[in-house]
Amino acid sequence: MQDTQKTSLADLTSLRVGGDAQNLLLCGDFDQTVRVLLAIDRSEHVNIVSYGSNILVSDDGLDGTTLMIRGGRIHFEDNVVIADAGVWWDDLVVQAVEHGLWGLELTSLIPGSVGAGVFGNIAAYGQQVSDTLLWVDVFDRVNNTISRLNVSELAFSYRESSLQLCPELVILRAAFSLSTAQKQNLRYQSALDVGKEYNWSVDDISDVRKIIAETRKRAGSLYDYRDDSAQRTAGSFFKNPLLNIEKAKEVASFDESGKAIERLLQQSELHGGSPARASAAHVLLAAGYRRGQVWERVRLHPDHVLKIETLEGATAREVHEVSTEIIDTVRKKLDITLEPEVRFMGNFS
């Protein structure tokens, strides 16, 4: 464990903005995280940030104790893989693929920790964390106890889990049930096109990982905390809204790829569980926003309109103002309410 005072969180988050942590504790595996949590007064406010890839930290910083959980153990018990919460998600995927176990491969290269992946029910190309999750070990800060929650005791939906409603619970590790047989066929058209281009088989787990990696690269969706030159975004900034089907078709007509509307609705169903779960990127395009649009030191990513990117010297307040403007404009122009997928932490009043 490393205990530091007044540490800049901007250097530890993908957006590279935000103030200081009043008290920052760095810890790694399951045992160390438990020891740290036991040592913190139960009345103390605790923030969990891990790799900082899906958060916007206020310029005022974070009061109380900020716990940065990074690292940990991955081990296999037959077809079950168990990973500590601080494991980098893609390290888990890599090991599953190397073991020839299906169930996580479509989530390749999603940035963040295992704990964050479970907390937010991350998903990509028709595969979500809750598809394979078996159980989660959590630390209850009210009682200073550890318990195991089976997946049947948790509720999951698009980008949500019931753990988000339980701030007293800290995820310690999670188990996933994988398979030696392919569990889900890759059906996302842009990924299928990449596989065809490179002659990679959608029935070979190593090839599927390569397909997903190349598809994410072309969409400007790569980030690794170990790369100092990585793009300064928090990934897709807004959730895909659930609309009525006619409104979803109207929004989909603003797609720039030339795909048929029915194909786009199929993609929406793969991504969000319903053809009426409209692409937030299409919503922004329909509202008049464009890739690369700039607001002084903040812009929409040149390759992906749904990503807000910070330029040198940007502040968290500027990012927040841009996101608020987008939400207000979309509501006024389209009567659609966008919700941030990025988690705001600290004071933005």
Side-chain angles (χ1 to χ4, degrees):
M1 179 188 74
Q2 182 180 347
D3 186 350
T4 57
Q5 304 288 324
K6 286 292 184 182
T7 302
S8 171
L9 289 168
D11 299 330
L12 299 172
T13 63
S14 61
L15 279 166
R16 300 290 192 270
V17 296
D20 295 340
Q22 182 180 15
N23 182 39
L24 178 69
L25 298 177
L26 304 179
C27 55
D29 63 16
F30 176 97
D31 292 333
Q32 188 180 63
T33 303
V34 171
R35 288 196 299 272
V36 169
L37 287 167
L38 286 171
I40 300 172
D41 190 287
R42 281 183 280 187
S43 65
E44 178 83 0
H45 178 69
V46 172
N47 310 288
I48 308 293
V49 297
S50 293
Y51 295 94
S53 58
N54 196 42
I55 61 174
L56 176 66
V57 175
S58 164
D59 295 320
D60 295 337
L62 299 179
D63 294 333
T65 294
T66 297
L67 193 60
M68 183 161 283
I69 308 172
R70 293 187 174 186
R73 182 180 177 222
I74 301 171
H75 73 280
F76 290 81
E77 297 177 0
D78 296 324
N79 292 348
V80 173
V81 59
I82 302 169
D84 290 345
V87 168
W88 181 248
W89 177 262
D90 197 54
D91 290 348
L92 171 62
V93 177
V94 166
Q95 290 206 28
V97 169
E98 289 176 348
H99 279 74
L101 294 174
W102 297 82
L104 303 177
E105 66 288 338
L106 301 186
T107 62
S108 290
L109 297 174
I110 292 181
S113 67
V114 168
V118 173
F119 183 83
N121 193 26
I122 58 173
Y125 304 100
Q127 192 172 77
Q128 58 186 352
V129 164
S130 55
D131 293 337
T132 52
L133 184 68
L134 270 181
W135 50 257
V136 180
D137 282 344
V138 297
F139 185 94
D140 187 330
R141 294 199 62 245
V142 173
N143 304 310
N144 271 2
T145 57
I146 299 169
S147 60
R148 178 163 295 177
L149 301 176
N150 293 318
V151 67
S152 60
E153 300 175 77
L154 302 169
F156 290 94
S157 58
Y158 170 76
R159 299 296 189 273
E160 293 184 352
S161 75
S162 52
L163 291 164
Q164 295 172 11
L165 304 176
C166 304
E168 75 279 7
L169 300 182
V170 178
I171 298 171
L172 298 172
R173 64 184 167 199
F176 304 87
S177 177
L178 307 181
S179 174
T180 55
Q182 190 169 11
K183 298 175 73 71
Q184 290 169 284
N185 294 321
L186 179 60
R187 294 187 293 152
Y188 202 81
Q189 191 59 49
S190 60
L192 293 172
D193 292 342
V194 167
K196 184 176 181 181
E197 178 182 341
Y198 285 93
N199 198 31
W200 289 330
S201 172
V202 295
D203 298 316
D204 179 278
I205 194 169
S206 297
D207 278 2
V208 170
R209 175 171 168 81
K210 289 189 287 187
I211 290 170
I212 297 303
E214 179 62 23
T215 306
R216 290 182 67 86
K217 178 181 177 182
R218 295 184 183 188
S221 297
L222 297 182
Y223 171 77
D224 193 311
Y225 74 102
R226 295 161 288 203
D227 181 2
D228 290 337
S229 65
Q231 57 183 250
R232 299 164 55 122
T233 82
S236 297
F237 205 93
F238 300 102
K239 296 178 182 179
N240 293 338
L242 187 62
L243 313 175
N244 65 58
I245 195 67
E246 292 306 317
K247 190 77 168 180
K249 288 180 179 179
E250 177 187 338
V251 168
S253 68
F254 287 85
D255 178 75
E256 298 174 315
S257 68
K259 296 186 181 75
I261 295 295
E262 292 308 314
R263 172 66 72 178
L264 294 171
L265 295 180
Q266 181 190 53
Q267 290 181 182
S268 294
E269 184 168 12
L270 286 173
H271 268 308
S274 168
R277 179 72 70 178
S279 163
H282 293 160
V283 171
L284 262 65
L285 292 170
Y289 291 103
R290 294 291 178 264
R291 287 178 292 175
Q293 186 168 335
V294 177
W295 293 261
E296 296 183 3
R297 297 178 294 189
V298 176
R299 69 176 178 178
L300 299 180
H301 194 281
D303 297 323
H304 200 312
V305 71
L306 195 52
K307 292 184 175 184
I308 294 178
E309 182 180 22
T310 59
L311 306 177
E312 194 64 37
T315 66
R317 179 177 296 279
E318 290 171 319
V319 176
H320 185 261
E321 287 174 350
V322 168
S323 68
T324 299
E325 177 196 311
I326 290 172
I327 290 170
D328 290 346
T329 300
V330 166
R331 183 182 293 116
K332 290 173 183 176
K333 285 190 173 183
L334 305 175
D335 194 26
I336 293 173
T337 299
L338 284 179
E339 296 180 13
E341 184 171 327
V342 171
R343 190 159 52 107
F344 296 168
M345 301 185 70
N347 176 30
F348 285 95
S349 60

